[in-house]
Each structure stands twice: as C-alpha cells, then as structure tokens.
Amino acid sequence: MQIIISNQSKEPIYKQIYDQIKKHILVNEQSAGESLPSMRQLAKSLDVSVITTKRAYEELEKNGFIYSVVGKGSFVSEQNNEMIKERKRKVIEEQLLTSIQNSKEIGISLTELKELLTLLYREET
C-alpha cells in the first residue's frame, strides 16, 4: 500500500493518510481481513508522528473501514456495498455544493453549470 504525503496540500497529514487508505479499501486494493501496517511502522515509513497515524486509524475505525484487535493490529473491515454507495453519494453532494458556491461567486448561471456538468459527465463515459 503506497501513501504519498504532500506538504503543499491544505489537507492535514492525518486526513491525507485517511483518504488514501480509504481509497485503497474502496477500490479493493486492500481486502477484507487484510492487516494494515502498525501505526508505528506507518509513521516511520511516512516520517510523521505516531499521533498522526493514530488519528488517521481512529477515523478509519470510527467510519467502519477498519477494525482493531488489541495486540494484533488493525485490519480492513468487510465493506457493505450499500454503505459504500451512500458514503460516495455524500462526498459527491459535498463536492457539488462547493462547486455551486464557487459558481455563484463568479456568476456562473445554473444553466451554464448544468451544461458544464453534462459535458464533463459525457467525456468521462
């Protein structure tokens, strides 16, 4: 599992770690039951504080992506497809809200925004 930390990113380091591990899980690069590196190992390999990796793992566990077994480590949780769809839908809604706010700030109309979304959607399929 490869994790890349960017010092130029506005995202906190723990969030960068969280997002990348979550992505690995959601695209099945990490299978259910597979162990993750220990918090100490990950911190050392990324050259960050153990507190940072601990926070990322806590968030992953809180959101159901991993589970921890005392003395054994952290493991990828079984993912429910409906829960995954709902989480992704929530992320899309948040991104769209940001896009709407940005569009309003620079005067893009709803019609123009719909046209842009339609154009971009068709390019990706």
Side-chain angles (χ1 to χ4, degrees):
M1 173 174 61
Q2 184 178 12
I3 297 175
I4 299 169
I5 302 300
S6 170
N7 291 327
Q8 276 72 45
S9 174
K10 293 180 181 176
E11 291 285 332
I13 293 173
Y14 86 90
K15 182 80 164 84
Q16 293 179 50
I17 296 168
Y18 169 88
D19 288 341
Q20 291 179 55
I21 293 175
K22 178 177 120 176
K23 182 181 176 196
H24 286 296
I25 293 169
L26 291 176
V27 299
N28 290 321
E29 289 176 8
Q30 299 289 123
S31 305
E34 191 173 336
S35 67
L36 296 176
S38 73
M39 289 178 222
R40 289 182 198 276
Q41 287 173 327
L42 185 59
K44 185 176 180 181
S45 70
L46 297 176
D47 198 26
V48 299
S49 165
V50 174
I51 295 169
T52 302
T53 56
K54 182 177 189 293
R55 184 162 181 201
Y57 276 36
E58 285 172 347
E59 290 294 315
L60 287 162
E61 189 162 7
K62 182 175 93 175
N63 291 304
F65 291 104
I66 67 171
Y67 64 94
S68 298
V69 178
V70 177
K72 298 217 182 223
S74 298
F75 303 87
V76 176
S77 297
E78 187 72 39
Q79 298 300 304
N80 176 320
N81 285 338
E82 282 304 310
M83 284 179 58
I84 291 170
K85 283 182 184 179
E86 188 57 36
R87 286 185 192 131
K88 284 187 175 187
R89 185 179 309 269
K90 183 179 178 198
V91 168
I92 291 167
E93 287 174 6
E94 290 169 358
Q95 291 171 340
L96 285 172
L97 280 173
T98 300
S99 296
I100 290 167
Q101 289 169 346
N102 289 336
S103 297
K104 286 180 177 180
E105 286 174 8
I106 63 170
I108 294 178
S109 70
L110 178 58
T111 303
E112 288 176 288
L113 190 58
K114 285 180 183 178
E115 288 171 2
L116 180 58
L117 180 60
T118 301
L119 178 70
L120 292 172
Y121 188 87
R122 287 187 180 145
E123 283 181 4
E124 289 296 317
T125 55

